[in-house]
Amino acid sequence: MTHDALDAAAHALAGARRVAVLTGAGISAESGLRTFRGAGTPDLPPDMQALWKEFDPQTLATPEAFGANPDLVTRWYDWRRIGCLAAEPNAGHLALAELERRLASRGGELSLLTQNVDRLHQRAGSTGVVELHGTIMVWRCTRCGVETEPPAQPMAEFPPRSPCCAGRGSLLRPAVVWFGESLPAAAVLAAARAAETCDVFLSIGTSSVVYPAAAFILQAAANGAKTIEINPEPTPLSGRVDWSIRAKAGDALPRIMEKLANPG
Ligand code: OAD
């Protein structure tokens, strides 16, 4: 990672009042959670590779897949839910929570927009997290929409029957956004507002190929914000940001925080 980009990022953040951050699966990679895409390490065993290399999203992450095979889909999501519960926030998550507190202490504001469903930001101490793709920790009745947070053990039956409308044959589904579904309107609105009003937009650990999330940094740039990407791999948007930091989030973010604490 180049010091120039880190210094420039720290400098931009030091002068910012409103900061927007978009995170993706890469920020949780150092917590042991698998990303969906990314070059990764070719010699890793299949069960450590990016998820969409081992699994087909069309048979697991669409409403049609759930309709055709709710047993398989709910087992897969519950397996991932248990993995998320077993993971711990890492240095990257903790640094973002610290950045939020730092900005708040001088009248600033951090908007944390995440595509992640793992709730590790909240467990690290971030507040007001905008969950663009929902969360795997909450499941919803397919009939009445009532939401429930399942206990921290694997579910007892698959597909899980909904506790409220079970008599009517209703199931529980994870409150995540599947391909082909709309993002929660309130989350999109909050993200668009953050992108329009921020002084600095940080994109961290996302392949920047899934829209609309990938568009927020472009919207921020169009409104005059400084833009920074943190990712060990290049993305389709790397050439369009002010600074691209080619490093792991868990390395780069604590170093940026150090520079903010000890300028000069
Ligand atoms: P991806 O899996 O597409 O991308 C993860 C990115 O993280 C890659 O670009 C990696 O290079 C990068 N990365 C890996 N390790 C990292 C680290 N330690 N620090 C920083 N970056 C690292 O994940 P997302 O962009 O979040 O949606 O994927 C977007 C959406 O596509 C997900 O929310 C999910 C998926 O399909 C749905 O399931 C609807």
Side-chain angles (χ1 to χ4, degrees):
M1 108 181 81
T2 69
H3 286 277
D4 288 357
L6 275 180
D7 283 338
H11 183 74
L13 287 170
R17 214 174 76 74
R18 285 173 178 271
V19 175
V21 179
L22 172 71
T23 62
I27 197 167
S28 297
E30 289 159 87
S31 295
L33 297 181
R34 293 161 68 178
T35 59
F36 297 95
R37 310 174 185 79
T41 314
D43 52 350
L44 279 177
D47 63 352
M48 301 288 288
Q49 295 285 357
L51 285 167
W52 295 154
K53 282 185 186 158
E54 186 186 352
F55 301 102
D56 173 12
Q58 290 309 319
T59 59
L60 291 165
T62 65
E64 293 76 20
F66 177 68
N69 196 341
D71 183 290
L72 174 76
V73 170
T74 53
R75 274 180 204 277
W76 191 72
Y77 275 92
D78 200 47
W79 166 70
R80 284 186 50 215
R81 181 180 71 93
I82 296 301
C84 294
L85 283 167
E88 293 295 332
N90 65 52
H93 297 106
L94 294 170
L96 287 180
E98 192 189 328
L99 180 61
E100 178 188 333
R101 289 190 291 272
R102 197 184 167 84
L103 280 161
S105 72
R106 54 178 175 80
E109 198 184 327
L110 183 138
S111 302
L112 182 46
L113 324 172
T114 190
Q115 297 166 90
N116 298 345
V117 297
D118 56 32
R119 292 249 157 120
L120 288 179
H121 285 306
Q122 289 90 331
R123 285 169 57 197
S126 289
T127 63
V129 180
V130 175
E131 293 177 317
L132 289 163
H133 292 171
T135 174
I136 204 165
M137 296 304 163
V138 170
W139 290 50
R140 192 166 69 222
C141 173
T142 51
R143 185 167 187 277
C144 71
V146 160
E147 295 188 333
T148 168
E149 192 161 341
Q153 300 89 36
M155 290 184 188
E157 59 165 7
F158 294 101
R161 270 174 297 178
S162 93
C164 43
C165 304
R168 299 173 167 121
S170 295
L171 300 177
L172 284 178
R173 60 156 285 179
V176 300
V177 176
W178 281 326
F179 289 104
E181 292 185 321
S182 302
L183 275 60
V188 174
L189 204 65
R193 192 171 298 137
E196 271 165 25
T197 57
C198 67
D199 311 309
V200 175
F201 192 107
L202 264 166
S203 171
I204 304 168
T206 174
S207 54
S208 297
V209 296
V210 174
Y211 283 77
F216 292 122
I217 194 167
L218 302 176
Q219 194 181 342
N223 280 287
K226 297 286 179 210
T227 53
I228 303 162
E229 178 183 73
I230 300 177
N231 195 317
E233 312 279 341
T235 77
L237 300 186
S238 298
R240 300 179 66 178
V241 298
D242 292 308
W243 301 290
S244 187
I245 300 173
R246 292 282 159 81
K248 293 181 175 180
D251 291 335
L253 285 168
R255 290 184 61 183
I256 290 173
M257 292 312 296
E258 254 173 58
K259 285 178 186 286
L260 276 176
N262 307 299

